[in-house]
Amino acid sequence: MSDHIYEHSNPRNARTVFVLLIILGCMIGLVSASVPLYRLFCAVTGYGGTTQRVESEDATPVLDRKMTILFNADTNPALPWGFKPVQRSVTVNIGEDALIFYHAVNNSDETVTGHAIFNVTPFKAGPYFNKIECFCFTEQTLKPGEEVDMPVTFFIDPELAEDEHLNEVKEITLSYTFFRSDEEQ
């Protein structure tokens, strides 16, 4: 009886099922690649307040225009850390290197690894916020009760002064959220 079913199956139905399976496979592939692709897009374009990462600063001119940088820190509830900026703000000239610190403490009785994600607001300032060194470039591991001050070295690209959409911007907020590392969850 089962041979009887296959004798009457339509080749168009088999092709339709095959095409639908290929489409479903492509959709699953796009969904699984969407987060890394979105992060890459944000890193390249500065979209969503993503800052730019630079290896070194090549004689960036320092402008007379000042910018106040505010610092924010959040911790995901799954990470048993205290996390805060050491200073709430700093005022720098555009193009000037700045070094600031965030403080973290592991409040648990186990060694915990975390990673930080970041953004800049207003979002349109993201492409001009350049980080030279940042704790967010790598995962951080703290032993029970361990405390650490983590550095961020950055500068505001002088090209910001040429962007007429940013003339009214006097403050930029650099915000971090720390999460427990995926390997630990």
Side-chain angles (χ1 to χ4, degrees):
M1 176 142 208
S2 63
D3 291 336
H4 179 67
I5 294 172
Y6 291 113
E7 288 175 14
H8 295 293
S9 67
N10 187 340
R12 287 178 58 188
N13 289 344
R15 254 186 307 199
T16 301
V17 168
F18 181 71
V19 168
L20 289 174
L21 287 174
I22 289 176
I23 291 171
L24 179 64
C26 289
M27 290 174 71
I28 290 171
L30 284 173
V31 166
S32 64
S34 64
V35 171
L37 289 174
Y38 179 74
R39 285 183 181 156
L40 177 64
F41 172 76
C42 289
V44 169
T45 64
Y47 181 77
T50 302
T51 64
Q52 302 303 306
R53 180 177 178 177
V54 293
E55 295 299 321
S56 67
E57 173 196 2
D58 295 329
T60 302
V62 176
L63 305 181
D64 204 20
R65 180 175 167 188
K66 295 207 179 285
M67 187 73 62
T68 298
I69 312 302
L70 306 171
F71 305 107
N72 180 59
D74 296 299
T75 307
N76 181 277
L79 183 68
W81 288 9
F83 176 59
K84 64 182 182 179
V86 173
Q87 60 270 42
R88 291 292 302 145
S89 68
V90 66
T91 300
V92 296
N93 286 357
I94 292 177
E96 176 185 11
D97 283 1
L99 171 65
I100 60 98
F101 292 89
Y102 278 77
H103 184 79
V105 58
N106 180 352
N107 295 318
S108 74
D109 58 358
E110 63 183 2
T111 299
V112 180
T113 300
H115 69 278
I117 60 169
F118 55 87
N119 72 358
V120 168
T121 53
F123 292 153
K124 61 187 176 181
Y128 302 103
F129 197 98
N130 293 284
K131 288 196 270 183
I132 300 167
E133 181 183 337
C134 182
F135 61 87
C136 62
F137 295 159
T138 59
E139 291 185 331
Q140 304 298 317
T141 301
L142 297 180
K143 296 176 183 168
E146 183 178 6
E147 296 185 37
V148 65
D149 285 333
M150 301 177 290
V152 180
T153 306
F154 67 91
F155 68 96
I156 308 301
D157 192 322
E159 289 184 18
L160 176 138
E162 298 171 19
D163 188 334
E164 63 187 39
H165 297 103
L166 292 167
N167 286 340
E168 81 287 353
V169 174
K170 307 289 184 233
E171 292 182 345
I172 296 175
T173 301
L174 176 61
S175 182
Y176 289 94
T177 302
F178 244 110
F179 292 88
R180 190 176 202 119
S181 177
D182 291 336
E183 287 85 40
E184 292 191 348
Q185 293 184 6

